[in-house]
Amino acid sequence: QKEVEQNSGPLSVPEGAIASLNCTYSDRGSQSFFWYRQYSGKSPELIMFIYSNGDKEDGRFTAQLNKASQYVSLLIRDSQPSDSATYLCAVDLYNFNKFYFGSGTKLNVKP
Amino acid sequence: KAGVTQTPRYLIKTRGQQVTLSCSPISGHRSVSWYQQTPGQGLQFLFEYFSETQRNKGNFPGRFSGRQFSNSRSEMNVSTLELGDSALYLCASSLDATGLGGNTIYFGEGSWLTVV
């Protein structure tokens, strides 16, 4: 079982809609959770991180963490074509600075 | 503030050769980690260095090695290259906060290695 699981997609949403990306993790000791965005041919760039149960908002992005159910999600409101990319979920197990990444979900936002 | 800088950006090597990749972290960041990204395996952790010491290691063979210098710059080396080593090699840096949370890592643009 992989430490972090994501649906590979592609997830297609129309422009202006809410995109919902999900991620599950296997180790209950996981402490810190991150979302990265990766455009084709580019390196991952940090979107946001979350440590505590609940929601965390940053602009059009909201990260949600549910440790009891071991899932993390990312909501993108008012999706734009420029949001089309692969979204990577990552976990820093025990905060050891050793990140486990999911395989990524490809998001397509259609104009 | 300059980001993580990796060199070279692109390189082609022949099977059996070795390669050295370089990484300069964000100013003030003391932790440097390396990742390999391939279409089949995704992003995989190679190793992490802090204060010139390897602190964490992933599940890669001994052909993959690294080091960190006193100025936090890091290099990774792959010896006896195999076709399967073709990948994007990413360096990431972070402020050290092991055990405390807050280990946000920031990636460089990566080094694209092709082994022929």
Side-chain angles (χ1 to χ4, degrees):
Chain A
Q1 183 184 9
K2 297 190 70 174
E3 288 83 2
V4 182
E5 300 272 8
Q6 290 181 261
N7 187 320
S8 61
L11 173 66
S12 292
V13 300
E15 183 175 355
I18 296 176
S20 178
L21 305 161
N22 300 309
C23 167
T24 59
Y25 59 94
S26 59
D27 196 315
R28 288 193 173 274
S30 301
Q31 299 289 322
S32 307
F33 308 86
F34 302 79
W35 283 99
Y36 286 82
R37 176 174 63 194
Q38 187 172 27
Y39 293 109
S40 181
K42 301 294 186 181
S43 63
E45 56 179 334
L46 178 70
I47 299 174
M48 62 191 305
F49 54 86
I50 185 167
Y51 308 131
S52 305
N53 270 332
D55 296 1
K56 180 181 178 183
E57 187 174 316
D58 184 359
R60 295 187 296 115
F61 299 97
T62 298
Q64 300 174 317
L65 172 61
N66 184 321
K67 288 190 175 182
S69 300
Q70 295 178 242
Y71 83 77
V72 193
S73 63
L74 179 70
L75 301 178
I76 306 174
R77 290 180 299 281
D78 188 24
S79 295
Q80 301 297 310
S82 58
D83 293 326
S84 296
T86 296
Y87 288 79
L88 299 164
C89 173
V91 170
D92 185 5
L93 218 59
Y94 307 113
N95 290 331
F96 281 166
N97 216 16
K98 179 178 179 180
F99 282 50
Y100 292 90
F101 283 82
S103 57
T105 298
K106 186 174 176 61
L107 173 66
N108 290 328
V109 181
K110 297 182 177 180
Chain B
K1 197 172 191 181
V4 179
T5 304
Q6 291 187 246
T7 57
R9 292 291 321 281
Y10 304 91
L11 63 167
I12 300 173
K13 291 287 186 179
T14 303
R15 260 187 313 175
Q17 287 186 315
Q18 73 164 14
V19 66
T20 299
L21 308 177
S22 180
C23 172
S24 293
I26 293 170
S27 178
H29 285 194
R30 301 169 67 192
S31 168
V32 174
S33 49
W34 289 88
Y35 291 79
Q36 181 198 63
Q37 187 173 34
T38 59
Q41 299 298 319
L43 255 175
Q44 295 186 92
F45 174 81
L46 281 157
F47 29 66
E48 185 244 359
Y49 286 87
F50 173 76
S51 288
E52 303 177 64
T53 300
Q54 186 181 91
R55 202 164 50 173
N56 289 299
K57 190 177 189 303
N59 296 323
F60 279 81
R63 299 186 296 107
F64 292 81
S65 63
R67 59 177 176 168
Q68 186 181 34
F69 303 96
S70 58
N71 60 359
S72 294
R73 192 176 68 84
S74 177
E75 288 181 348
M76 70 161 282
N77 184 78
V78 188
S79 63
T80 319
L81 283 166
E82 301 176 359
L83 296 179
D85 296 332
S86 295
L88 174 63
Y89 290 88
L90 291 159
C91 171
S93 76
S94 72
L95 291 169
D96 176 58
T98 299
L100 303 176
N103 286 331
T104 306
I105 61 173
Y106 299 91
F107 288 96
E109 292 186 315
S111 292
W112 291 90
L113 171 65
T114 300
V115 182
V116 298

